Amino acid sequence: MKKISSEVALSSKNTSEDLPMSVLEAWSSLPNEVRAALVKKEVSVRMDASQTIASSLTKDSVHSATSSNASSNEIEEKQLIEECPESGGKVVLTPLERAPKNVFAFEKTHVEEEVKVTKNGNKLTTTTTKTVSTGRGWRNVFSLPISYDVNVVPHGTLLDPANPQLLHATGPTSEEYKRRFAVIDNAVEELYGDKIRAYFVAKGIELTTVTINGGEAEKRPDAVDKILDELCAYKLRRREPFLAIGGGVLLDIAGMAACLYRRGVPFVRVPTTLLSIVDASVGVKNGVDYCCDLTNDTYKNRVGSFYAPSSCLLDNSFIATQDARNVSNGFGEILKLALVRSEDLFELLESHGAALVEKRFAATPSVPAGVSERIIDLSIQIMLEELGPNLWEYQLDRCVDYGHTFSKLLEMVPGADIMHGEAVNVDGFFCVVLSFLRGFIDMEIVNRIFKCMQSLNLPTDSLDLKSELAWQSCCDAVEHRHGEQRIPLITGIGESICVNDITRDELDRALEMMKEFKHVY
């Protein structure tokens, strides 16, 4: 055999690619005679091994055995050993050759010890019995890639045929694809229906629409079924996006239908209310309220899914066609975010919120340029920062749940005239009082928050917020948040923590204190 020098071995392409730089540097630092001796030893060992195999196997089987051993060693090196969270037993995970990053064969070993102490006269006898149980199977590991854009559309241009954003977001622009499907809120249809159709006519697109009532009372499985029926009749293809344009209720219903149809099709959100722009459009939650035949109760957002839109288009000009109450309703969610995450956002609301409610976010001399955009941008960024790392809510201590403990039952009171953002604000101020009673904040902060809420024309109390409802809300929170209350309370403006030990007596004391404030119902 031709002698292989240490320099040749080191420059071998396969060897240098397999070794980390730290090893190569260590090798280079060795004296030449040491490197030569090591290479000679390695070559000798390999020759001996090759001769032994050659004496018992054919040339083809030598190659097969060498590859098999290398593969086996590589898999053994990649085995994972962990502790079973349920039993505490040992779990050995071995990656499968064809899908080593996703599929693992596992072997579980669990040892249980039972200790019995028996007394025979004055003598104690301890008997330990060990039971070893084993199991095997496979684990599939798959990380679902989630990516969606929340696009800011130049003010008032979304339905302008000169702006191609809506066309591009809802499907390809090829000559072979000249159709679109849209789910439209009935209020949006009345205000913008003709303009929506004119946009697609100008683009040479045939538009099929279904109109859904966007009121809270219509947020039921029947509304999802209506969209699914229309999608079946339209024969929407597997990768074909459809358009959902309306308020938060409509977007929740449409997102649920998108998740269910063909086990998931793309959909594009276009929020048209202040509330939906800063809330429903940002995350991945969809759902409907559910009436249970067994309990005869209706549960808010009890049935739903985590399903991301393909994209979201934000045009703030839609806010101008809302009435003042709906604009205030949207501020309920914005103020919630300010209280738990951003003093800067709170100060903007303190200074300019009342004027923006009055002018419905239109430009006004009393509000500096860019303030309305800054408020919306901050709100969306805070929501994304909180939701982005926790889309599936594996972490249940969430500050964005502020205002969403007592509000859920307030909204479900039969005949209650209260909107979502309004209920969130009532809940939010009740939690402000709870924070004060715990010593987290002082009365100066309480009064400052109360004044800001009233300037935004938001309710701070409800005649339905009584002891029984408050306590039932805490019980519902424990069920929904997996065994703990996890109720966010503020420790300052822009700061919060979650607590798990609110008592019924504490709730009653807070309800008594609520009577000291001059609420507007």
Side-chain angles (χ1 to χ4, degrees):
M1 174 178 279
K2 185 178 180 180
K3 183 177 179 180
I4 303 177
S5 73
S6 61
E7 301 303 322
V8 173
L10 186 60
S11 64
S12 170
K13 182 179 179 181
N14 291 337
T15 303
S16 61
E17 286 182 351
D18 291 341
L19 292 174
M21 184 58 67
S22 59
V23 174
L24 294 175
E25 289 174 353
W27 173 263
S28 300
S29 67
L30 294 174
N32 289 337
E33 59 269 25
V34 174
R35 286 190 287 177
L38 289 172
V39 170
K40 183 176 181 181
K41 174 69 174 178
E42 179 67 16
V43 171
S44 175
V45 169
R46 289 185 179 181
M47 287 181 61
D48 291 341
S50 299
Q51 290 170 357
T52 302
I53 295 172
S55 64
S56 57
L57 300 173
T58 64
K59 185 175 183 179
D60 289 338
S61 64
V62 169
H63 176 75
S64 176
T66 304
S67 300
S68 177
N69 287 338
S71 177
S72 175
N73 291 336
E74 184 178 348
I75 289 176
E76 285 181 9
E77 289 176 1
K78 292 182 179 180
Q79 279 185 338
L80 303 175
I81 299 176
E82 64 181 33
E83 183 179 292
C84 177
E86 288 83 19
S87 67
K90 178 183 177 182
V91 182
V92 178
L93 296 160
T94 304
L96 298 192
E97 185 176 355
R98 294 188 187 182
K101 294 182 180 179
N102 301 97
V103 187
F104 299 80
F106 66 71
E107 293 181 359
K108 295 181 179 180
T109 304
H110 178 57
V111 179
E112 286 187 357
E113 287 190 1
E114 183 180 0
V115 179
K116 287 186 178 181
V117 179
T118 57
K119 186 176 182 181
N120 187 7
N122 294 327
K123 185 179 181 182
L124 293 177
T125 304
T126 302
T127 305
T128 302
T129 304
K130 286 188 178 182
T131 304
V132 179
S133 57
T134 60
R136 71 180 188 88
W138 297 268
R139 178 179 298 178
N140 187 37
V141 179
F142 184 80
S143 297
L144 186 64
I146 296 294
S147 175
Y148 58 97
D149 290 348
V150 180
N151 303 277
V152 177
V153 177
H155 191 86
T157 67
L158 181 69
L159 300 179
D160 183 344
N163 184 349
Q165 282 181 278
L166 186 59
L167 177 70
H168 292 164
T170 53
T173 56
S174 63
E175 287 299 319
E176 296 78 21
Y177 186 74
K178 291 293 185 179
R179 68 174 194 165
R180 296 292 190 274
F181 182 92
V183 180
I184 305 177
D185 187 303
N186 62 332
V188 173
E189 169 63 36
E190 184 176 338
L191 291 168
Y192 297 98
D194 291 342
K195 199 169 183 180
I196 293 170
R197 276 178 280 277
Y199 176 91
F200 286 104
V201 167
K203 299 295 185 181
I205 299 294
E206 179 185 352
L207 181 67
T208 300
T209 65
V210 55
T211 303
I212 298 292
N213 190 325
E216 188 68 39
E218 308 303 320
K219 196 177 181 183
R220 298 289 189 273
D222 287 348
V224 178
D225 289 343
K226 181 178 179 180
I227 297 176
L228 294 176
D229 285 344
E230 295 287 349
L231 289 173
C232 287
Y234 180 81
K235 301 187 185 304
L236 189 83
R237 288 174 281 186
R238 187 71 176 271
R239 300 286 183 261
E240 182 178 357
F242 73 83
L243 171 65
I245 178 167
V249 170
L250 181 280
L251 298 182
D252 275 1
I253 294 170
M256 185 76 171
C259 175
L260 293 173
Y261 190 75
R262 298 189 187 277
R263 298 181 180 87
V265 294
F267 78 110
V268 177
R269 286 177 178 154
V270 176
T272 58
T273 66
L274 176 59
L275 182 68
S276 61
I277 286 172
V278 300
D279 186 27
S281 68
V282 178
V284 298
K285 293 203 296 190
N286 312 282
V288 294
D289 302 337
Y290 187 75
C291 182
C292 176
D293 289 337
L294 297 180
T295 64
N296 200 32
D297 289 322
T298 299
Y299 300 94
K300 185 169 179 60
N301 292 328
R302 184 56 59 95
V303 178
S305 62
F306 293 106
Y307 190 71
S310 53
S311 67
C312 178
L313 303 174
L314 306 181
D315 186 339
N316 298 341
S317 68
F318 286 113
I319 301 172
T321 54
Q322 290 193 275
D323 59 30
R325 184 181 179 185
N326 269 286
V327 176
S328 291
N329 183 55
F331 270 116
E333 283 285 354
I334 295 174
L335 182 55
K336 171 203 78 174
L337 294 171
L339 289 177
V340 296
R341 275 289 313 271
S342 176
E343 187 173 9
D344 290 344
L345 179 56
F346 183 83
E347 290 174 351
L348 287 173
L349 299 182
E350 271 188 314
S351 302
H352 308 293
L356 290 174
V357 170
E358 182 183 356
K359 297 298 183 180
R360 302 175 195 178
F361 270 75
T364 173
S366 64
V367 179
V371 167
S372 59
E373 290 82 1
R374 176 63 176 162
I375 288 173
I376 290 177
D377 286 358
L378 264 178
S379 301
I380 290 173
Q381 287 174 26
I382 291 170
M383 282 290 284
L384 286 172
E385 287 167 2
E386 289 298 318
L387 300 180
N390 191 31
L391 282 180
W392 269 256
E393 297 181 7
Y394 293 126
Q395 172 56 254
L396 293 175
D397 289 342
R398 306 186 332 131
C399 71
V400 290
D401 278 339
Y402 188 83
H404 287 70
T405 300
F406 308 98
S407 61
K408 287 202 279 186
L409 268 64
L410 283 175
E411 288 185 74
M412 302 310 293
V413 172
D417 180 21
I418 192 166
M419 303 175 75
H420 177 68
E422 294 172 339
V424 167
N425 199 73
V426 171
D427 182 322
F429 187 67
F430 186 52
C431 287
V432 166
V433 173
L434 287 168
S435 295
F436 171 77
L437 291 176
R438 289 205 165 199
F440 294 162
I441 57 176
D442 58 28
M443 186 52 70
E444 182 181 351
I445 290 179
V446 174
N447 288 330
R448 186 181 172 193
I449 294 170
F450 184 74
K451 183 179 178 181
C452 181
M453 288 177 169
Q454 291 205 319
S455 74
L456 296 170
N457 293 334
L458 284 165
T460 48
D461 195 10
S462 166
L463 297 176
D464 294 315
L465 183 56
K466 299 175 181 177
S467 179
E468 186 60 35
L469 183 143
W471 181 243
Q472 184 56 45
S473 296
C474 287
C475 296
D476 183 71
V478 171
E479 178 186 338
H480 182 62
R481 297 167 186 164
H482 199 62
E484 300 282 359
Q485 291 177 349
R486 307 181 200 273
I487 298 175
L489 297 179
I490 63 168
T491 56
I493 294 177
E495 301 172 354
S496 64
I497 60 171
C498 287
V499 301
N500 299 306
D501 57 348
I502 292 179
T503 65
R504 186 159 190 168
D505 178 66
E506 192 174 2
L507 295 173
D508 290 341
R509 286 190 288 116
L511 289 171
E512 276 300 309
M513 185 175 173
M514 290 279 282
K515 297 176 183 177
E516 299 175 12
F517 295 86
K518 191 176 180 180
H519 304 284
V520 178
Y521 294 94

